């Protein structure tokens, strides 16, 4: 996939949120997003079709030890 | 600074008030004196509510005079990170935007502390909107580390750690979304507990992230943490995410033997690239547990680098949702580094957010069944380095800020992602006199086991007895 760029961040800010970012701020945000996006893309490959967020709450009870 | 009652723990204080050895009002007055005396050096308070605390103290004394039990926290001087709501009282969130905010409701945990007889001395300094691990705050002034005021106290619950470590208070609530209780506990040298994700109600606190926010105490002793947790834990209809499980007698279980328990020591990630002093302190802590008969074994902890990177996707998406209107209309009222860390959540697809939240189940199962499969808790550093100097980390919103935040919180963020309980316990001082600490990480709802281990360690060691000297 293409890398997230400062221009792309500025376009999203303008289009979705009505925020006008200066180029330096957009560049900083793009640099933050790049490794996060790469890690998420890799990790999401392991997501099961039937997964949903509420599974986590149920899991806490399931994995609780005896106290 | 007034030394009256300063060395008393929360449990010492409450038992003496309950027994009538000292009045809650005397305790409150001494704590108010300490808070005022320490403020120029620490800047731990955003607002001190002396009259309200004295009124609470008089109510505690009146209750005792009527022959009633004033409660397990009777007369204990507490104050809380300035993001808890108390009806009609200031709650700034360490921000300029909420400089004058007075909520119309009271947080469930504050009501529970009130009912247990605790005093509330006011709102404590914090990182703006609970974002940031250092304790910087441009709006209300930086909070300072009581062991060396040139150093950072840790954040985001900066005032909570500093005021408890200094002996101004016997305890405080913080909040922990990625380490914000454990990091200031570690940097300032006090005990801090991030409970299991759903153990304590979050109703009536400023939100940062629906999925990761946790309420927990900071105290000098594990016993005091157990006592506060016992008062605040348990289901709250006002927070439907709070667990309906029964609340154990945390304090009553502290003295149970630990000899049959086992600790896991990760073979990667947590012990990589530690400051030599921290490495030495962790080795000594493991030896102390061995002397207590607690066996240790190496464990694998895969996936941590990934978790460290994907956790901010969900955090920032939720924070940006909460802050979106202010980000559009009041951007200049945020500190740049705080705005940046929240704003990044505006620029990710919603599918990414849901993927990350959905992945929690998979990672948590793997971690608990793997790393915690044959041990009762893991022992890891709370911080890889001692508290840095404030001037070293005078943060802008540049790449260095991102790197620093990642390093300071690298030991705490993955556990927030996993939703597990973690107890930070001080375990020594550097040659320069700065605290170091370990975390005990357990299975979901294993707070009682962590507290039992932490208490055994504090019983065998004396780090917690030290108090910093303050002018």
């Amino acid at each position: 996939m293409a890398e997230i760029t400062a221009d792309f961040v500025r376009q999203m800010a303008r289009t979705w949120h009505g925020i006008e970012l200066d180029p330096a701020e957009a560049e900083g945000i793009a640099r933050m997003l790049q490794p996060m996006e790469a890690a998420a893309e890799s990790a999401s490959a392991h997501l099961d079709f039937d997964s949903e967020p509420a599974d986590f709450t149920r899991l806490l009870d399931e994995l609780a030890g005896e106290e | 600074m007034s030394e009256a009652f300063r060395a008393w723990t929360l449990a010492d204080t409450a038992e003496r008030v309950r027994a009538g050895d000292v009045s809650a009002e005397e305790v409150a007055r001494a704590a108010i004196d300490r808070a005022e005396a320490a403020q120029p050096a620490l800047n731990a308070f955003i607002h001190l509510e002396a009259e309200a605390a004295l009124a609470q103290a008089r109510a505690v004394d009146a209750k005792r005079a009527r022959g009633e039990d004033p409660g397990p926290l009777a007369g204990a001087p507490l104050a809380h990170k300035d993001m808890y709501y108390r009806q009609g009282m200031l709650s700034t969130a360490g921000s300029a935007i909420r400089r004058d905010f007075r909520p119309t409701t009271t947080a469930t945990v504050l009501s529970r502390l009130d009912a247990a007889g605790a005093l509330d001395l006011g709102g404590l300094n914090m990182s703006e909107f609970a974002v940031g691990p250092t304790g910087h705050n441009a709006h209300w002034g930086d909070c300072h580390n009581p062991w060396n005021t040139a150093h950072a106290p840790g954040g985001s619950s900066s005032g909570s750690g500093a005021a408890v470590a200094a002996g101004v208070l016997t305890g405080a609530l913080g909040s922990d979304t990625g380490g914000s209780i454990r990091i200031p506990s570690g940097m300032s040298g006090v005990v801090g507990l991030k409970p299991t994700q759903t153990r304590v109600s979050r109703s009536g606190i400023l939100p940062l992230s629906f999925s990761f926010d946790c309420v927990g105490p900071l105290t000098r002793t594990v016993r005091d943490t157990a006592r506060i947790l016992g008062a605040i834990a348990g289901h709250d209809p006002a927070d439907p995410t709070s667990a309906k499980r029964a609340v154990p007698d945390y304090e009553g279980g502290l003295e149970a033997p630990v000899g049959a328990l086992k600790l896991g020591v990760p073979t990667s990630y947590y012990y990589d690239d530690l400051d030599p002093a921290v490495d030495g302190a962790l080795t000594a802590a493991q030896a102390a547990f061995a002397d207590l008969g607690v066996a240790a074994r190496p464990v694998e902890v895969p996936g941590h680098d990934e978790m460290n990177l994907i956790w901010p996707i969900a955090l920032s998406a939720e924070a940006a949702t909460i802050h979106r209107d202010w980000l559009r209309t009041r951007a200049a009222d945020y500190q740049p580094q705080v705005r940046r860390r929240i704003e990044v959540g505006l620029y990710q697809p919603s599918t990414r957010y849901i993927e990350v939240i959905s992945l929690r189940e998979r990672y948590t199962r793997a971690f608990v069944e793997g790393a915690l499969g044959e041990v009762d808790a893991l022992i890891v550093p709370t911080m890889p380095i001692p508290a840095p100097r404030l001037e070293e980390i005078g943060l802008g919103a540049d790449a260095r800020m991102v790197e620093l935040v990642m390093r300071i919180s690298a030991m705490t963020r993955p556990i927030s992602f996993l939703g597990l309980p973690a107890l930070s316990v001080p375990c020594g001082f550097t040659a320069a006199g700065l605290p170091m600490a370990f975390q005990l990480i357990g299975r979901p709802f294993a707070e009682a086991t962590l507290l039992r281990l932490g208490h055994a360690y504090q019983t065998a060691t004396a780090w917690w007895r030290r108090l910093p000297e303050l002018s």
Side-chain angles (χ1 to χ4, degrees):
Chain A
M1 288 192 295
E3 192 168 77
I4 295 171
T5 63
D7 284 344
F8 181 56
V9 170
R10 291 188 83 193
Q11 187 63 42
M12 283 191 284
R14 194 177 297 130
T15 304
W16 288 343
H17 307 296
I19 294 173
E20 201 59 45
L21 291 179
D22 69 54
E25 188 160 8
E27 181 64 38
I29 290 170
R31 278 203 307 268
M32 282 180 79
L33 283 169
Q34 287 157 6
M36 289 158 53
E37 174 64 16
E41 177 65 18
S42 165
S44 64
H46 304 298
L47 204 56
D48 294 334
F49 181 83
D50 295 318
S51 297
E52 65 141 304
D55 290 341
F56 174 73
T57 307
R58 176 191 47 73
L59 184 77
L60 291 179
D61 267 323
E62 180 192 324
L63 296 178
E66 291 296 316
E67 289 291 329
Chain B
M1 185 162 72
S2 167
E3 292 296 313
F5 321 128
R6 183 178 172 223
W8 289 4
T9 66
L10 182 153
D12 291 339
T13 305
E15 293 316 315
R16 287 171 180 173
V17 169
R18 279 170 126 175
D21 297 339
V22 64
S23 72
E25 185 168 351
E26 286 175 275
V27 171
R29 288 193 184 282
I32 291 163
D33 286 350
R34 289 196 300 271
E36 288 173 341
Q39 185 66 6
L42 301 183
N43 195 30
F45 277 81
I46 288 179
H47 53 101
L48 178 63
E49 304 289 350
E51 288 309 314
L54 286 167
Q56 285 182 312
R58 290 185 199 108
V60 167
D61 290 335
K63 198 169 184 181
R64 190 186 169 281
R66 292 194 299 270
E68 300 170 31
D69 181 357
L73 306 177
L78 310 181
H80 311 295
K81 188 175 186 177
D82 200 25
M83 57 181 277
Y84 287 85
Y85 296 171
R86 185 180 289 283
Q87 188 176 16
M89 197 166 282
L90 205 58
S91 183
T92 68
S95 69
I97 291 174
R98 281 200 152 179
R99 181 174 290 276
D100 300 313
F101 176 66
R102 292 179 186 271
T104 56
T105 57
T106 297
T108 297
V109 287
L110 294 195
S111 296
R112 289 180 177 178
L113 292 174
D114 294 347
L119 314 181
D120 181 353
L121 270 69
L124 295 170
N125 208 342
M126 58 182 286
S127 305
E128 181 184 9
F129 289 123
V131 176
T134 60
H136 284 86
N137 189 314
H139 305 302
W140 297 93
D142 296 340
C143 188
H144 296 264
N145 193 309
W147 297 96
N148 184 329
T149 54
H151 287 251
S156 62
S157 310
S158 51
S160 303
V164 173
V168 170
L169 303 168
T170 57
L173 293 183
S175 71
D176 193 316
T177 304
S180 284
I181 288 172
R182 290 163 287 161
I183 292 167
S185 296
M187 283 201 197
S188 290
V190 298
V191 173
L193 174 70
K194 184 202 90 69
T196 305
Q197 189 64 53
T198 57
R199 182 72 287 185
V200 180
S201 167
R202 300 164 311 164
S203 173
I205 72 165
L206 173 101
L208 175 61
S209 159
F210 317 114
S211 295
F212 304 119
D213 290 344
C214 288
V215 168
L218 297 90
T219 63
R220 283 176 53 220
T221 69
V222 172
R223 178 178 295 282
D224 291 349
T225 283
R227 190 170 288 204
I228 291 180
L229 183 64
I232 62 174
H235 181 65
D236 172 18
D239 177 359
T241 69
S242 60
K244 292 182 175 169
R245 298 174 65 86
V247 177
D249 179 359
Y250 295 114
E251 189 174 359
L254 290 179
E255 303 294 344
V258 295
L261 298 178
K262 297 185 187 69
L263 285 178
V265 182
T267 55
S268 61
Y269 188 82
Y270 288 100
Y271 287 84
D272 299 343
D273 196 25
L274 293 184
D275 177 276
V278 175
D279 198 16
L282 264 289
T283 301
Q286 290 171 27
F289 277 112
D291 290 344
L292 289 164
V294 181
R297 56 167 293 174
V299 296
E300 305 287 331
V301 289
H304 274 53
D305 286 318
E306 255 178 13
M307 283 191 280
N308 211 14
L309 284 167
I310 64 175
W311 168 86
I313 292 174
L315 166 81
S316 62
E318 294 180 355
T321 303
I322 294 163
H323 283 264
R324 183 169 180 264
D325 187 46
W326 286 337
L327 289 170
R328 289 153 51 110
T329 60
R330 302 193 62 176
D333 290 330
Y334 290 85
Q335 294 170 98
Q337 71 274 18
V338 171
R339 187 178 67 239
R340 170 74 58 83
R341 291 188 64 203
I342 296 173
E343 190 176 23
V344 74
L346 295 175
Y347 310 118
Q348 302 166 100
S350 53
T351 46
R352 272 287 179 256
Y353 165 67
I354 295 171
E355 283 170 353
V356 169
I357 290 297
S358 300
L359 281 164
R360 269 184 116 182
E361 189 263 355
R362 183 185 190 91
Y363 279 89
T364 303
R365 181 182 293 284
F367 185 84
V368 172
E369 293 180 348
L372 285 163
E374 295 182 24
V375 299
D376 298 285
L378 302 192
I379 181 168
V380 304
T382 302
M383 292 263 305
I385 53 174
R389 293 174 67 85
L390 277 161
E391 67 188 20
E392 287 177 87
I393 49 175
L395 300 174
D398 58 11
R400 187 167 161 271
M401 177 275 287
V402 177
E403 187 183 326
L404 180 75
V405 167
M406 294 289 275
R407 181 156 163 74
I408 288 180
S409 55
M411 312 280 124
T412 55
R413 287 153 56 127
I415 304 309
S416 293
F417 183 71
L418 297 172
L420 299 176
L423 178 72
S424 179
V425 181
C427 64
F429 291 83
T430 65
L434 293 166
M436 298 174 287
F438 62 77
Q439 288 179 93
L440 298 168
I441 300 162
R443 300 171 74 91
F445 302 104
E447 285 84 357
T449 300
L450 305 185
L451 293 165
R452 194 168 132 208
L453 283 163
H455 175 70
Y457 176 82
Q458 283 200 319
T459 302
T461 57
W463 302 116
W464 68 271
R465 293 185 185 279
R466 286 197 197 179
L467 281 168
E469 289 182 15
L470 292 171
S471 56

